[in-house]
Amino acid sequence: MGKQLSALNQRLIHFINEQKLFFVATTSSNGSINLSPKGLDSFKVMDDNRVLWLNLTGSGNETAAHLIEDSRMTIMFCAFEGPPLILRLYGTAVTYHPRHDFWKDHISLFPKIEGSRQLVDMKIDLVQTSCGMGVPLMDFKSQRHGLIDWAEDKGEEGIKEYWEKKNTISLDGNPTNIFKNKPQH
């Protein structure tokens, strides 16, 4: 059954590295809760209390807007194959854009993916496991490439235009600071 830990251990790091999908949850004090599925090769364990993920261009930019106001974030992994397990990482995060030194120092950890818009650096405060016996078994076929194809077709300038149109303000009307120079935390 469920356990709470202060840090990741090698078994959990191995579990994370095998997953094809994870979920990110954030919120602001007076707005919508955002829960987003993430895939591709966009997640890295830096150490037992720190993870980094590459946020790709999407139809909104809720995570960035929420982290400006409230740095709390939860990341969840589910075992859809193999032994059942749900793993949640609770912590605080900072968002970095391509113009920041942090981005330049860490982007090489990920494959080059057109439309990459932020690196999210999360300090883990609590690790929680639960049984996952209610999570269905599913076979993984492949990652979808539609987002990558779409971003490559748009090109760098087209992506920036899309950010201006769709990624500067959250659903609740809060700024995402996608074009500001300061890290978001």
Side-chain angles (χ1 to χ4, degrees), residues 40-42 44 54 107-114 116:
L40 302 168
D41 185 6
S42 62
K44 302 294 179 201
L54 179 62
I107 193 60
S108 64
L109 296 171
F110 300 93
K112 182 172 175 19
I113 302 175
E114 192 71 43
S116 298

Side-chain angles (χ1 to χ4, degrees), residues 1-4 85 129-133:
M1 283 302 180
K3 294 181 183 174
Q4 292 183 347
L85 178 64
T129 63
S130 53
C131 68
M133 289 188 255

Side-chain angles (χ1 to χ4, degrees), residues 128-146:
Q128 182 183 36
T129 63
S130 53
C131 68
M133 289 188 255
V135 175
L137 288 170
M138 296 190 287
D139 293 325
F140 176 75
K141 291 183 180 181
S142 70
Q143 293 285 352
R144 296 175 193 253
H145 293 281

Side-chain angles (χ1 to χ4, degrees), residues 4 18 23-24 27 42 49-50 62 70 75 78-79 83 86 94 105 124 137-139 147 156 170 178:
Q4 292 183 347
E18 295 298 311
F23 300 87
V24 176
T27 189
S42 62
N49 280 103
R50 186 171 163 231
E62 301 308 297
D70 187 338
I75 297 175
C78 299
I86 298 171
V94 178
D105 293 341
I124 300 169
L137 288 170
M138 296 190 287
D139 293 325
L147 182 63
E156 188 175 335
S170 74
I178 196 164

Side-chain angles (χ1 to χ4, degrees), residues 27-93:
T27 189
S28 61
S29 60
N30 293 313
S32 304
I33 297 170
N34 186 58
L35 176 62
S36 294
K38 306 292 180 183
L40 302 168
D41 185 6
S42 62
F43 195 89
K44 302 294 179 201
V45 176
M46 303 303 287
D47 62 41
D48 59 357
N49 280 103
R50 186 171 163 231
V51 297
L52 189 64
W53 63 274
L54 179 62
N55 194 11
L56 305 174
T57 297
S59 57
N61 198 4
E62 301 308 297
T63 300
H66 289 167
L67 291 177
I68 292 168
E69 183 181 328
D70 187 338
S71 64
R72 294 176 305 146
M73 183 165 56
T74 301
I75 297 175
M76 184 180 76
F77 297 88
C78 299
F80 294 109
E81 53 191 17
L85 178 64
I86 298 171
L87 172 62
R88 290 181 183 89
L89 310 177
Y90 298 91
T92 55

